[in-house]
């Protein structure tokens, strides 16, 4: 039976640690380098929750809504972005058309939904905007179970304060954004996930398979992870990238216990952050006795 108090992240071993997923009021933060796949991670979490019957609000601070929707369609169906963007010119097969139709049917049957709001405007959105968006969507469609912010440093607190442009001011600003995010999730009895980018790290460290980032590599925000129930970093060497392997280091996991390092297999060709079948086959994860779906 679906536990409606827990929203899964869609990465089995982390969901096991969380005893099913995020609880009401929980917010999670993932730290990753540039180009590693922060948006892919957030979309994967969104799809994983929606296909289990939860309603998701994805707030995108940059880029167009069409880009976000195409990314979600690709993750849902495993069809490449280019085929979805130009189905008439890309010879979309009957098989792929069938996948799209199945996705629509499965979404309707599960009751899950993904709502996307994109800021195609000048200036950074703030957390008051996010709250207003949530209220509007909830009034129109009902309760939202999960909010995704894509991604943290692109949002302002919306508290009317002017933060200094130095490092300390930026830390204070991001700390305020995190607290506002937590307040929104507490107020509306929902959950939240966001991601942020790491500072520049020496290539020699990144190529060390035993190295993992910590809060110390979050230069502008390292003293401000307090509001987050889960803080994890995404780590990958060049060889791991070639082999579609990724290491997730769990630095903070409030109220739960589990492994510090989780190794997974990705499937970026299908726009999926997590390949469950390959992760199990690689010996990185052994399923426990609960209903885990999604086989690639």
């Amino acid at each position: 039976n679906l536990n409606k108090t827990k929203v899964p992240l869609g990465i089995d071993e982390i969901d096991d640690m969380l005893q099913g997923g995020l609880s009401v009021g929980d917010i999670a933060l993932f730290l990753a380098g540039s180009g590693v796949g922060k948006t892919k991670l957030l979309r994967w979490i969104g799809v994983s929750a929606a296909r289990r019957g939860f309603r998701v609000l994805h707030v995108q601070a940059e880029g167009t809504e069409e880009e976000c929707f195409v990314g979600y369609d690709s993750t849902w169906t495993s069809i490449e972005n280019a085929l979805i963007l130009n189905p008439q010119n890309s010879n979309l097969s009957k098989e792929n058309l069938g996948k799209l139709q199945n996705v629509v049917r499965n979404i309707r049957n599960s009751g899950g939904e993904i709502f996307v709001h994109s800021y195609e405007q000048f200036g950074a959105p703030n957390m008051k905007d996010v709250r207003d968006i949530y209220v509007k969507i909830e009034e129109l469609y009902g309760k939202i179970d999960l909010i995704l912010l894509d991604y943290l440093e692109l949002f302002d607190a919306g508290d009317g304060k002017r933060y200094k442009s130095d490092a300390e001011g930026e830390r204070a600003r991001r700390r305020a954004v995190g607290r506002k995010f937590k307040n929104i999730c507490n107020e509306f009895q929902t959950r939240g996930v966001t991601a942020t980018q790491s500072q520049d790290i020496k290539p020699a460290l990144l190529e060390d398979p035993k190295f993992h980032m910590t809060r110390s590599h979050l230069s502008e925000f390292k003293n401000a992870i307090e509001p987050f129930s889960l803080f994890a970093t995404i780590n990958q060497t060049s060889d791991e990238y070639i082999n579609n392997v990724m290491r997730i280091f769990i630095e903070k996991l409030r109220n739960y216990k589990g492994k510090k390092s989780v190794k997974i297999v990705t499937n970026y060709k299908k726009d999926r952050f997590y390949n469950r079948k390959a992760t199990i086959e690689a010996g990185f994860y052994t399923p426990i006795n609960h209903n885990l779906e999604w086989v690639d």
Side-chain angles (χ1 to χ4, degrees):
N1 293 329
L2 181 66
N3 184 347
K4 295 296 286 186
T5 67
K6 293 276 192 173
V7 175
L9 298 178
I11 301 170
D12 295 327
E13 193 159 355
I14 298 178
D15 286 334
D16 288 349
M17 294 180 197
L18 294 168
Q19 298 176 17
L22 297 177
S23 298
V24 166
D26 282 346
I27 58 174
L29 174 64
F30 289 86
L31 172 68
S34 177
V36 171
K38 294 184 292 296
T39 297
K40 279 184 170 61
L41 167 64
L42 294 175
R43 284 204 303 261
W44 174 258
I45 292 171
V47 165
S48 297
R51 65 185 297 274
R52 287 168 170 83
F54 295 101
R55 288 177 171 169
V56 179
L57 169 61
H58 186 122
V59 186
Q60 183 169 283
E62 63 180 6
T64 66
E65 283 191 357
E66 182 184 25
E67 291 171 343
C68 193
F69 278 125
V70 167
Y72 268 115
D73 287 344
S74 183
T75 303
W76 273 111
T77 63
S78 78
I79 301 172
E80 293 180 13
N81 288 358
L83 296 177
I84 295 172
L85 278 169
N86 299 295
Q88 293 180 342
N89 299 327
S90 58
N91 194 28
L92 192 63
S93 67
K94 289 183 178 180
E95 179 185 357
N96 284 336
L97 284 172
K99 285 183 179 180
L100 288 172
Q101 291 166 353
N102 285 336
V103 163
V104 173
R105 183 165 54 250
N106 291 339
I107 293 171
R108 287 175 177 168
N109 291 340
S110 72
E113 293 182 85
I114 298 175
F115 303 93
V116 174
H117 185 91
S118 178
Y119 286 90
E120 302 175 28
Q121 61 188 36
F122 179 80
N126 61 53
M127 297 309 294
K128 183 180 182 301
D129 296 330
V130 173
R131 185 187 183 279
D132 291 344
I133 293 163
Y134 180 98
V135 170
K136 182 177 180 180
I137 291 179
E138 186 180 67
E139 288 175 348
L140 291 173
Y141 303 103
K143 182 173 176 55
I144 300 297
D145 301 294
L146 178 68
I147 304 173
L148 304 175
L149 294 187
D150 190 6
Y151 43 94
L152 186 73
E153 56 263 38
L154 298 179
F155 290 83
D156 283 328
D159 53 10
K161 296 181 181 179
R162 290 188 177 183
Y163 295 94
K164 294 180 180 180
S165 58
D166 59 11
E168 182 57 38
E170 181 61 15
R171 279 194 290 271
R173 185 185 74 82
R174 296 196 192 187
R175 182 165 55 244
V177 173
R179 287 174 176 168
K180 290 288 185 181
F181 194 23
K182 177 73 171 178
N183 291 344
I184 290 171
C185 290
N186 281 335
E187 178 183 359
F188 295 106
Q189 293 291 280
T190 188
R191 311 135 190 92
V193 182
T194 187
T196 190
Q197 187 163 314
S198 65
Q199 66 187 50
D200 291 334
I201 299 173
K202 293 180 180 179
L205 284 177
L206 294 176
E207 293 303 322
D208 181 355
K210 295 182 179 179
F211 168 81
H212 54 258
M213 293 183 291
T214 66
R215 71 185 73 190
S216 66
H217 299 100
L218 192 57
S219 60
E220 306 296 352
F221 198 57
K222 60 185 178 183
N223 295 322
I225 69 168
E226 187 276 329
F228 294 92
S229 308
L230 167 66
F231 173 65
T233 67
I234 300 171
N235 306 273
Q236 190 176 54
T237 66
S238 296
D239 286 342
E240 287 171 334
Y241 173 80
I242 292 170
N243 292 301
N244 303 315
V245 172
M246 192 169 284
R247 287 168 289 115
I248 303 174
F249 179 73
I250 313 294
E251 181 166 352
K252 178 181 180 182
L253 191 63
R254 183 180 294 158
N255 300 325
Y256 301 99
K257 291 183 179 181
K259 289 171 62 177
K260 279 290 188 179
S261 186
V262 173
K263 190 176 283 190
I264 66 170
V265 179
T266 63
N267 194 350
Y268 281 10
K269 284 186 177 180
K270 294 185 177 182
D271 214 61
R272 292 176 178 175
F273 183 83
Y274 178 61
N275 185 334
R276 179 178 185 252
K277 182 179 179 181
T279 298
I280 294 172
E281 290 175 347
F284 298 155
Y285 174 71
T286 301
I288 62 175
N289 294 323
H290 56 68
N291 182 25
L292 293 170
E293 304 169 358
W294 201 300
V295 177
D296 290 289

